[in-house]
Every structure is written in C-alpha cells, then in structure tokens.
Amino acid sequence: MKLVFSNENHLIVNNVKNLIEAQSIQVFIKNEFAQGALGETAVFDCWPEIWVYDDADFEQAEAIANDAQSEKSGTDWICTKCKETNASSFEICWYCHYDKSH
C-alpha cells in the first residue's frame, strides 16, 4: 500500500478518490474521521489520505490525483443573469445557478 494523496478538505479527498476508483483502481481513505484528534496530534497527521491497495496502481492513481488538482487553462466567465464572475471550470454560476451555456 502506498499513499497517493492527502488534503485537509474532505470534499477534495473524496472527489479524488472517486476519480481514481472510476478507473477501476482500489483505494481507501485513511484518517477519514481523525479530525477529532486535532490538538492531540499534529494538524497534518489528521488530514484524510488516499492509499492505493496495489502498489502497481500507484503511478496511475498519482497521475489522476495530480491531474485533478492541476489548474486547468481557461478564462473566467461572467454570468449573463447575475453578472457574477465564475471560474472557467464552472459550468453553472456559483451564485445564481444559471447555466453557462444560456
């Protein structure tokens, strides 16, 4: 087993886990419920971690995790409904939920 990815944000960790599992790679999350130990242990020791079961899958899983966290090129867009600025990765306005394609 090898550590593939760690982040303080559970949503990010679970998203990366789902992306890796979508490629039929078996992984598990370690420290998923360790936040309660904050103060007793170091902050970084409480971050959820994604571990791959089979070491042979490590490089592919790591590439998926890195790709998921890399900035995608593109320009921000302005919602035509509410005029709010949205990141290029958003397809729906974060503020008013208006679809970018309209």
Side-chain angles (χ1 to χ4, degrees):
M1 290 186 280
K2 288 187 176 183
L3 173 63
V4 175
F5 180 78
S6 182
N7 190 291
E8 65 182 322
N9 188 317
H10 285 272
L11 296 175
I12 292 172
V13 172
N14 278 293
N15 182 54
V16 171
K17 177 182 179 275
N18 291 337
L19 292 171
I20 294 170
E21 288 179 331
Q23 299 304 312
S24 299
I25 299 173
Q26 291 186 322
V27 294
F28 69 96
I29 296 180
K30 181 180 173 187
N31 298 337
E32 188 171 9
F33 305 107
Q35 293 290 331
L38 279 173
E40 300 293 323
T41 63
V43 173
F44 299 114
D45 292 338
C46 294
W47 283 14
E49 303 170 339
I50 299 174
W51 288 72
V52 64
Y53 282 103
D54 186 349
D55 290 354
D57 291 329
F58 174 75
E59 288 183 22
Q60 184 182 2
E62 185 179 47
I64 293 166
N66 290 338
D67 186 49
Q69 295 304 301
S70 68
E71 283 193 40
K72 306 292 183 202
S73 62
T75 56
D76 293 348
W77 58 278
I78 298 174
C79 178
T80 56
K81 183 177 179 184
C82 71
K83 306 300 183 218
E84 190 64 38
T85 300
N86 293 273
S88 61
S89 60
F90 290 9
E91 294 295 321
I92 297 173
C93 178
W94 71 269
Y95 186 75
C96 73
H97 309 289
Y98 193 68
D99 193 321
K100 176 181 177 178
S101 63
H102 286 113

